[in-house]
């Protein structure tokens, strides 16, 4: 009802929408119960593992939680400099 | 055997102590034997909100340490002879009491009282752990603000992790005029985000400031909208099914007129 009111009167900028969106994002982090430190550790571990297979740009390397409706995903953006040549012999 | 209810929030200043005082006074008015425990050791305030600050002799820590008997530390309310307060110690800190000691104390008090309400300190550390230790039920107070909702979410997570408490939400200090303009989260927004059962909604009300000034809980003031909201929560705590109060905008011309003429929604 109030949402309708806000829409009818063109309040797309209603500050409660900003509040809800910011809360959604911050709660995804909070609920995943990963501290900034733990997030950093996860990033470093991923970096270590992936570096064994390819040369990656650790400056552009990003790991973040992302929310799609009710589901949550861990999204990593990993810029690759070059892929190491696979050795043919095992 | 009574029921122990902890009033908590995570964030400070959202109305835990006011809520505890009002629910306690409301339950006592309805004839129940009620004890309030101020678990905010070092920063006690429930005594001033209740207007009982001049009667304190012994406190919670004195009882736990065996220095005073429970019946000597309990302060009888001025208005209701079936309402008691166990004040917090002011000169000690949270570590003076352990969760085990609190559990034993609350257990002992439940034998004598119908309701034991525990006013939790802000935060998630030992003071919070002490406050929830003996509780059968938890009420989480949150205002429609980002910081308060975030902290409430954290507290709900901690309570649910214990698998002992089923937390209920009390939305405090909501303003119908701001909700209407889309500048404040409404009831549905908060329930959607926090995903727990709603126990009550208390509107922002100047009468709370006045009643705190005087040390007289607003629940006893029949003119106060917040008082009415607290009376509804008190009835729900007794198992009654009371519909949620309609949020009323009293800011506009018609709102003021309605208020003047004494209409209630």
């Amino acid at each position: 009802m109030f949402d309708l009111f806000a829409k009818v009167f063109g309040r797309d900028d209603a500050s409660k929408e900003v509040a809800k969106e910011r809360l959604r994002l911050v709660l995804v982090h909070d609920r995943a119960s990963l501290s900034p430190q733990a997030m950093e550790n996860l990033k470093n571990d991923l970096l270590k593992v992936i570096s064994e297979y390819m040369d990656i740009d650790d400056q552009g390397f990003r790991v973040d939680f992302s929310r799609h409706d009710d589901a949550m995903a861990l999204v990593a953006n990993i810029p690759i400099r070059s892929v190491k040549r696979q050795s043919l012999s095992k | 055997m009574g029921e122990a209810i902890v009033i908590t929030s995570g964030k400070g200043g959202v109305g835990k102590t006011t809520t505890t005082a009002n629910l306690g006074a409301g339950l006592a008015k309805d004839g129940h034997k009620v004890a309030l425990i101020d678990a905010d050791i070092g920063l006690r305030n429930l005594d001033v909100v209740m207007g009982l600050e001049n009667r304190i002799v012994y406190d919670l820590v004195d009882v736990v340490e065996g220095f005073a008997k429970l019946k000597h530390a309990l302060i009888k309310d001025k208005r209701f002879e079936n309402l008691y307060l166990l004040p917090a110690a002011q000169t000690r800190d949270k570590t003076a009491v352990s969760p085990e000691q609190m559990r034993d104390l609350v257990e002992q008090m439940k034998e004598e009282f119908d309701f034991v309400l525990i006013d939790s300190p802000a935060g998630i550390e030992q003071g919070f752990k002490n406050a929830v230790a003996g509780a059968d039920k938890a009420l989480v107070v949150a205002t429609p603000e980002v910081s308060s909702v975030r902290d409430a979410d954290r507290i709900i997570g901690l309570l649910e992790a214990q698998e002992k408490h089923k937390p209920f939400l009390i939305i405090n200090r909501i303003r119908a005029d701001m909700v209407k303009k889309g500048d404040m989260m409404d009831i549905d927004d908060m329930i959607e985000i926090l995903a727990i059962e709603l126990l009550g909604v208390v509107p922002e009300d100047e009468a709370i400031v006045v009643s705190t000034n005087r040390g007289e809980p607003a629940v006893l003031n029949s003119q106060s909208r917040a008082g009415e909201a607290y009376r509804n929560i008190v009835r729900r705590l007794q198992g009654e099914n009371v519909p949620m109060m309609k949020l009323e905008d009293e800011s506009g011309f018609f709102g003021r007129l309605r208020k003047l003429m004494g209409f209630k929604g």
Side-chain angles (χ1 to χ4, degrees):
Chain A
M1 160 63 192
F2 289 141
D3 283 346
L4 184 70
F5 182 90
K7 271 174 206 143
V8 168
F9 290 88
R11 287 293 307 271
D12 288 340
D13 62 331
S15 66
K16 82 155 187 181
E17 296 305 328
V18 182
K20 279 165 69 180
E21 191 48 38
R22 291 176 59 222
L23 261 172
R24 260 185 214 117
L25 291 173
V26 88
L27 290 184
V28 165
H29 277 265
D30 288 359
R31 287 177 184 168
S33 62
L34 279 190
S35 61
Q37 183 58 50
M39 203 70 183
E40 199 54 37
N41 292 346
L42 170 68
K43 229 175 110 176
N44 290 336
D45 286 349
L46 278 173
L47 202 69
K48 218 184 301 169
V49 172
I50 296 167
S51 298
E52 288 177 23
Y53 298 87
M54 51 196 81
D55 186 12
I56 57 183
D57 168 18
D58 56 0
Q59 291 306 307
F61 183 70
R62 305 197 78 86
V63 181
D64 261 311
F65 285 107
S66 155
R67 188 178 169 280
H68 303 283
D69 296 325
D70 284 336
M72 201 170 70
L74 185 68
V75 177
N77 191 346
I78 313 166
I80 299 168
R81 282 213 195 91
S82 65
V83 181
K84 283 175 186 162
R85 199 175 287 116
Q86 298 278 333
S87 91
L88 290 172
S89 57
K90 259 192 76 183
Chain B
M1 193 75 172
E3 182 179 29
I5 305 173
V6 64
I7 292 92
T8 182
S9 71
K11 188 177 178 300
V14 298
K16 285 179 296 294
T17 302
T18 306
T19 301
T20 308
N22 279 286
L23 298 185
L27 285 165
K29 188 166 183 274
D30 285 354
H32 298 283
K33 201 166 179 209
V34 182
L36 311 178
I37 303 178
D38 189 347
D40 201 348
I41 300 168
L43 291 168
R44 79 172 167 218
N45 269 323
L46 190 50
D47 54 334
V48 284
V49 174
M50 294 292 295
L52 299 173
E53 66 273 20
N54 292 330
R55 306 183 178 201
I56 297 175
V57 181
Y58 300 111
D59 58 48
L60 170 62
V61 176
D62 292 327
V63 174
V64 165
E65 290 180 344
F67 184 69
K69 283 208 172 95
L70 176 62
K71 63 176 178 185
H72 294 142
L74 283 169
I75 303 166
K76 192 190 278 190
D77 184 70
K78 296 177 196 172
R79 294 139 290 217
F80 302 105
E81 59 173 25
N82 49 335
L83 177 60
Y84 291 82
L85 168 70
L86 181 58
Q90 183 69 331
T91 54
R92 302 287 294 272
D93 65 48
K94 269 87 186 169
T95 55
V97 177
S98 73
E100 291 72 32
Q101 287 169 322
M102 278 298 285
R103 197 175 303 135
D104 292 345
L105 175 68
V106 171
E107 211 56 36
Q108 185 191 339
M109 291 173 75
K110 274 163 65 180
E111 284 171 19
E112 201 182 328
F113 294 94
D114 302 323
F115 288 95
V116 178
L117 305 189
I118 306 151
D119 183 18
S120 160
I124 52 173
E125 296 84 14
Q126 172 138 17
F128 165 75
K129 287 175 188 149
N130 285 344
V132 301
D136 305 306
K137 190 189 266 182
L139 311 185
V140 176
V141 182
T143 60
E145 292 162 296
V146 175
S147 50
S148 170
V149 173
R150 183 192 195 177
D151 289 1
D153 188 81
R154 187 97 168 81
I155 288 289
I156 291 164
L158 293 172
L159 290 167
E160 285 177 346
Q162 294 195 351
E163 291 180 354
K164 194 175 66 165
H165 306 284
K166 183 174 167 231
F168 293 87
L169 178 64
I170 294 180
I171 299 175
N172 200 16
R173 307 190 66 174
I174 196 160
R175 287 180 53 177
D177 56 331
M178 291 192 73
V179 168
K180 200 167 167 183
K181 277 189 274 183
D183 277 333
M184 183 176 269
M185 283 183 276
D186 62 30
I187 299 165
D188 291 340
D189 295 330
M190 289 183 65
I191 296 173
E192 185 196 327
I193 293 169
L194 293 174
I196 60 169
E197 198 175 318
L198 181 69
L199 185 70
V201 180
V202 183
E204 170 87 63
D205 185 352
E206 288 178 6
I208 292 292
V209 178
V210 177
S211 74
T212 307
N213 285 345
R214 298 187 196 281
E216 290 164 1
V219 72
L220 307 174
N221 175 356
S222 58
Q223 302 300 308
S224 158
R225 292 273 295 159
E228 188 186 346
Y230 282 125
R231 285 192 291 280
N232 287 344
I233 297 173
V234 164
R235 287 166 64 192
R236 290 184 197 114
L237 285 177
Q238 298 171 78
E240 250 186 89
N241 192 354
V242 186
M244 286 293 157
M245 203 162 89
K246 211 166 141 266
L247 277 183
E248 237 176 280
D249 182 6
E250 291 178 344
S251 63
F253 172 74
F254 288 107
R256 280 200 300 274
L257 192 69
R258 260 202 316 273
K259 198 179 176 185
L260 209 68
M261 296 170 74
F263 284 149
K264 296 229 163 124

